[in-house]
Amino acid sequence: MSRQGGLLTTAHEGLLPVHGSQGRASHNLPVNLGSAVFFFRKAYPQPRVLTPTRTDVLVLTPWLAPIIWEGTFDIDTLNEQFRLRNTTIGLTVFAVKKYVVFLKLFLETAEQHFMVGHKVIYYVFTDRPADVPQVPLGAGRRLVVLTVRNYTRWQDVSMHRMEVISHFSEQRFRHEVDYLVCADVDMKFRDHVGVEILSALFGTLHPGFYRSRRESFTYERRPQSQAYIPWDQGDFYYMGAFFGGSVVEVHHLTKACHQAMVEDQANGIEAVWHDESHLNKYLLYHKPTKVLSPEYMWDQQLLGWPSIMKKLRYVAVPKNHQAIRN
């Protein structure tokens, strides 16, 4: 055991808490050791091998990916780990045509609840850059406006997201961020959404199908489409409005989905739920390394607030779909 700058270290234990003049542990204090920064944190309960954190929901997929529900993670521990890596998170959002009206609330609530305490770059794709609102941003957070074209049909706007994200992942995002979160703009953050979602590749359970059998999923069922999934296959139905992962994995996903949609178009077919159908096909054969519970994608107006949902984190904003899309 040796003493270095007020830290006790051992070969096995690494860092031990620094104690103040009264002998109390000083928690959450950053300490520099070379190029690394360590954060001390408050004491927390020991995880119990024989006591699951949740018994009312599935918390692990058959391929051993965690399903993220309230009560299944310790955010203080996770925050420390991602700060040690100096992680930067990119959040992509498309505010095209009338959808730009949702951007102010989206950004304001993201500042309150999304990746608080971490470095964030908001990538706003829009055909109306002059209409992007000025929203005060916290330290280490910035907004980048990227101009894209619009399309007559909202379906085409939605599907071309995959092409745009794929292109920018390869050309820009990989140089600027570690993870990408791809979100719909007609939503708001209502509660904490943090680094617990980050993984190589994550998808979010659709709030309308998390209780359903695979036969009820609205997969693309026509074999002529590249998004085709047979009736006897499928794990979950994922929402196209919230997915992400490392820049490399998001690039693979979006490129594959875009190429599949191009092939469908050449064959005169369009998947039933457009880019979401192709996302589900991709995640069936490229299993996500984390799955987010419907806490991360909810519509309280349609679905209420069942007791199984301890928190509603990212929620739909009431809207007139026809008026906004046309």
Side-chain angles (χ1 to χ4, degrees):
M1 180 180 294
S2 64
R3 184 178 297 273
Q4 298 179 1
L7 296 179
L8 291 177
T9 63
T10 68
H12 300 290
E13 294 178 320
L15 298 180
L16 297 177
V18 173
H19 292 275
S21 59
Q22 303 301 317
R24 295 186 298 272
S26 302
H27 305 299
N28 298 317
L29 296 177
V31 177
N32 284 295
L33 284 183
S35 61
V37 178
F38 295 85
F39 287 82
F40 294 115
R41 66 183 302 275
K42 63 185 179 182
Y44 60 94
Q46 176 192 346
R48 308 297 295 178
V49 173
L50 302 181
T51 306
T53 55
R54 292 281 297 262
T55 58
D56 55 338
V57 291
L58 182 68
V59 298
L60 195 66
T61 70
W63 58 93
L64 303 182
I67 304 177
I68 311 303
W69 300 84
E70 176 65 13
T72 63
F73 59 90
D74 183 298
I75 192 56
D76 292 331
T77 300
L78 287 167
N79 277 333
E80 288 178 10
Q81 295 302 302
F82 281 91
R83 286 182 186 129
L84 285 173
R85 303 173 201 167
N86 197 27
T87 303
T88 301
I89 303 102
L91 177 58
T92 70
V93 63
F94 285 72
V96 178
K97 299 200 287 190
K98 293 181 181 179
Y99 278 84
V100 74
V101 301
F102 297 106
L103 193 53
K104 186 173 188 294
L105 180 63
F106 176 90
L107 292 171
E108 288 176 342
T109 58
E111 279 298 288
Q112 296 170 4
H113 301 296
F114 181 77
M115 301 292 168
V116 175
H118 296 275
K119 293 186 294 184
V120 171
I121 302 177
Y122 298 107
Y123 295 107
V124 175
F125 293 97
T126 183
D127 60 331
R128 301 180 180 182
D131 293 336
V132 173
Q134 297 294 316
V135 174
L137 303 180
R141 302 163 79 93
R142 62 190 179 97
L143 184 148
V144 175
V145 178
L146 300 166
T147 303
V148 293
R149 61 166 291 189
N150 63 41
Y151 294 85
T152 303
R153 300 190 316 144
W154 68 265
Q155 294 94 333
D156 291 321
V157 173
S158 180
M159 288 190 288
H160 278 277
R161 291 187 311 168
M162 293 295 189
E163 178 184 15
V164 172
I165 293 171
S166 171
H167 171 78
F168 277 90
S169 293
E170 185 174 29
Q171 299 299 319
R172 178 169 184 164
F173 298 156
R174 66 190 182 95
H175 302 295
E176 298 182 347
V177 299
D178 303 295
Y179 294 92
L180 277 175
V181 178
C182 306
D184 274 8
V185 72
D186 54 341
M187 307 283 292
K188 68 177 180 179
F189 294 91
R190 177 171 173 163
D191 211 318
H192 166 90
V193 176
V195 295
E196 75 280 356
I197 75 173
L198 298 180
S199 183
L201 182 64
F202 72 82
T204 305
L205 299 182
H206 193 295
F209 294 103
Y210 71 100
R211 296 177 180 270
S212 303
R213 297 177 61 86
R214 60 164 62 127
E215 295 84 2
S216 301
F217 294 164
T218 55
Y219 291 151
E220 174 54 66
R221 301 299 188 179
R222 294 169 294 175
Q224 299 89 338
S225 172
Q226 294 300 306
Y228 167 65
I229 297 176
W231 291 94
D232 61 348
Q233 294 185 27
D235 305 307
F236 307 109
Y237 190 89
Y238 300 100
M239 192 79 172
F242 203 65
F243 65 92
S246 69
V247 179
V248 170
E249 290 299 329
V250 171
H251 177 240
H252 290 331
L253 182 155
T254 52
K255 182 178 180 180
C257 289
H258 170 60
Q259 290 175 339
M261 286 186 281
V262 169
E263 188 166 345
D264 270 7
Q265 186 178 36
N267 292 326
I269 192 168
E270 188 173 284
V272 59
W273 287 110
H274 319 107
D275 50 319
E276 184 173 271
S277 296
H278 291 277
L279 172 75
N280 273 275
K281 175 67 174 287
Y282 186 90
L283 293 179
L284 174 60
Y285 296 110
H286 305 81
K287 305 294 191 191
T289 49
K290 275 187 183 178
V291 175
L292 307 188
S293 72
E295 294 174 2
Y296 294 88
M297 177 56 57
W298 195 255
D299 189 329
Q300 190 174 2
Q301 189 176 30
L302 290 178
L303 302 168
W305 193 337
S307 59
I308 201 170
M309 300 295 165
K310 308 302 181 185
K311 290 189 174 182
L312 304 183
R313 303 177 185 276
Y314 187 52
V315 299
V317 175
K319 67 188 91 44
N320 182 327
H321 284 284
Q322 186 173 2
I324 289 294
R325 289 173 175 173
N326 295 330

